[in-house]
Amino acid sequence: MKKVITTDKAPSPIGPYNQAVLANGTLYISGQIALHPESGMLITNDIESETLQVMQNLKAILQACKLTFKNVVKSSIFISNMNNFSSINEVYGRFFDDNTAPARETVEVSKLPKNVNVEISMIAIV
């Protein structure tokens, strides 16, 4: 059985998908971009603030299930320019410690929704 997870503390979906789905004790979080949940504005001042907004959106969805980043077992990071990797990684790393950091891949792609620079999805366990 699956349960759709939604929170107004993260951006509403911009297509036919949900913020997250909980199934069999596993939370699958859709890719998040730097949309501010209240204003709907994209945060693209710089890669650090963009990544921070993405992580805050992910945190809000985790919190909707009473979870934290310690519950995350897998992250997928999609970036439009691998030259931004170290800046993205620095902001991303603030949310994890070495003992609980998830498995992860980072992939450069040619284009992301709304022409953002970073999108991150996660899988967490309850």
Side-chain angles (χ1 to χ4, degrees):
M1 187 160 111
K2 75 178 189 178
K3 178 181 178 186
V4 171
I5 304 300
T6 59
T7 177
D8 60 1
K9 299 193 182 338
S12 297
I14 55 175
Y17 63 91
N18 289 293
Q19 291 172 329
V21 173
L22 181 63
N24 299 319
T26 303
L27 181 67
Y28 301 90
I29 304 175
S30 294
Q32 295 296 302
I33 60 175
L35 278 171
H36 188 274
E38 293 173 7
S39 69
M41 300 295 294
L42 276 173
I43 308 299
T44 56
N45 305 339
D46 55 65
I47 194 62
E48 291 85 3
S49 59
E50 186 173 347
T51 305
L52 181 60
Q53 184 63 56
V54 170
M55 295 302 290
Q56 289 171 337
N57 292 344
L58 290 161
K59 181 179 180 180
I61 295 168
L62 287 165
Q63 288 177 333
C65 286
K66 298 182 175 33
L67 302 176
T68 70
F69 285 104
K70 290 181 179 182
N71 296 92
V72 176
V73 295
K74 181 73 168 32
S75 295
S76 298
I77 302 176
F78 304 96
I79 60 178
S80 62
N81 185 339
M82 197 57 79
N83 292 329
N84 289 328
F85 176 80
S86 61
S87 297
I88 292 167
N89 198 49
E90 191 279 321
V91 174
Y92 172 93
R94 293 181 208 162
F95 292 84
F96 296 99
D97 62 52
D98 291 343
N99 296 325
T100 60
R104 179 185 91 179
E105 71 261 336
T106 303
V107 179
E108 181 180 79
V109 296
S110 64
K111 196 169 184 177
L112 289 164
K114 297 190 174 275
N115 294 312
V116 298
N117 299 297
V118 60
E119 179 175 1
I120 303 174
S121 64
M122 293 183 170
I123 300 172
I125 54 171
V126 177

